[in-house]
Coordinates of all heavy atoms in Angstrom, one line a residue:
S41 N 12.7 -5.4 -10.1 CA 11.6 -5.4 -9.2 C 11.8 -6.4 -8.1 O 12.5 -7.4 -8.3 CB 10.3 -5.7 -9.9 OG 9.2 -5.3 -9.0
G42 N 11.3 -6.0 -6.9 CA 11.5 -6.9 -5.8 C 10.1 -7.2 -5.1 O 9.2 -6.4 -5.2
R44 N 8.6 -8.8 -1.2 CA 8.9 -9.3 0.1 C 8.4 -10.7 0.2 O 7.2 -11.0 -0.2 CB 8.3 -8.4 1.2 CG 9.1 -7.2 1.4 CD 8.4 -6.2 2.3 NE 7.2 -5.8 1.6 CZ 6.0 -5.8 2.2 NH1 5.8 -6.1 3.4 NH2 4.9 -5.5 1.5
F73 N 14.1 -9.7 -7.7 CA 14.8 -10.2 -6.5 C 13.8 -10.4 -5.3 O 12.7 -9.8 -5.3 CB 15.9 -9.2 -6.0 CG 15.4 -7.9 -5.6 CD1 15.2 -7.7 -4.2 CD2 15.2 -6.9 -6.4 CE1 14.8 -6.5 -3.7 CE2 14.8 -5.6 -6.0 CZ 14.6 -5.4 -4.6
A75 N 13.1 -9.7 -1.6 CA 13.5 -8.7 -0.6 C 13.5 -9.2 0.8 O 12.7 -8.8 1.6 CB 12.6 -7.5 -0.8
H78 N 14.1 -6.5 3.5 CA 12.9 -5.8 3.8 C 12.0 -6.5 4.8 O 11.3 -5.8 5.6 CB 12.2 -5.4 2.5 CG 12.7 -4.2 1.9 ND1 13.4 -4.2 0.7 CD2 12.7 -2.9 2.3 CE1 13.7 -3.0 0.3 NE2 13.3 -2.1 1.3
Y161 N 13.1 2.2 5.3 CA 12.6 1.2 4.2 C 12.7 1.8 2.8 O 13.2 1.2 1.9 CB 11.2 0.8 4.6 CG 10.6 -0.3 3.7 CD1 10.3 -1.5 4.2 CD2 10.2 0.0 2.4 CE1 9.7 -2.5 3.4 CE2 9.7 -1.0 1.6 CZ 9.4 -2.2 2.1 OH 8.8 -3.2 1.3
M165 N 14.9 0.5 -0.4 CA 14.3 0.2 -1.7 C 15.0 1.0 -2.8 O 15.2 0.5 -3.9 CB 12.8 0.5 -1.6 CG 12.0 0.3 -2.9 SD 10.3 0.1 -2.6 CE 9.6 0.4 -4.2
D168 N 18.1 -0.7 -3.7 CA 17.8 -1.9 -4.6 C 17.8 -1.5 -6.1 O 18.2 -2.2 -6.9 CB 16.4 -2.4 -4.3 CG 16.4 -3.1 -2.9 OD1 17.4 -3.7 -2.5 OD2 15.3 -3.1 -2.3
I169 N 17.2 -0.3 -6.3 CA 16.9 0.1 -7.7 C 18.1 0.8 -8.3 O 18.6 0.5 -9.4 CB 15.7 1.0 -7.7 CG1 14.4 0.3 -7.2 CG2 15.4 1.6 -9.1 CD1 13.3 1.2 -6.8
V177 N 10.7 0.3 -13.1 CA 10.4 -0.6 -12.0 C 9.0 -1.0 -12.0 O 8.1 -0.1 -11.7 CB 10.8 0.2 -10.6 CG1 10.6 -0.8 -9.5 CG2 12.2 0.7 -10.6
V179 N 5.9 -2.0 -10.4 CA 5.4 -2.1 -9.0 C 3.9 -1.8 -9.0 O 3.4 -1.2 -10.0 CB 6.1 -1.2 -8.0 CG1 7.4 -1.7 -7.6 CG2 6.2 0.2 -8.6
Q183 N 3.0 1.2 -4.2 CA 4.4 1.6 -4.0 C 4.8 2.9 -4.6 O 6.0 3.3 -4.7 CB 5.3 0.5 -4.8 CG 5.2 -0.9 -4.2 CD 5.7 -0.9 -2.7 OE1 6.7 -0.4 -2.4 NE2 4.8 -1.4 -1.9
Ligands
LIG438 N1 8.5 -2.4 -1.3 C1 8.1 -3.5 -2.2 C2 6.8 -4.1 -1.8 O1 6.5 -4.1 -0.7 C3 9.2 -4.5 -2.4 C4 10.5 -3.9 -2.8 C5 11.6 -3.8 -2.1 C6 10.7 -3.4 -4.2 N2 12.6 -3.3 -2.9 C7 12.1 -3.0 -4.1 C8 10.0 -3.3 -5.3 C9 12.7 -2.5 -5.3 C10 10.6 -2.8 -6.5 C11 11.9 -2.4 -6.4 O2 6.1 -4.7 -2.6

Side-chain angles (χ1 to χ4, degrees):
S41 195
R44 279 168 303 131
F73 70 93
H78 274 112
Y161 185 112
M165 181 159 160
D168 290 328
I169 299 164
V177 184
V179 281
Q183 295 299 310

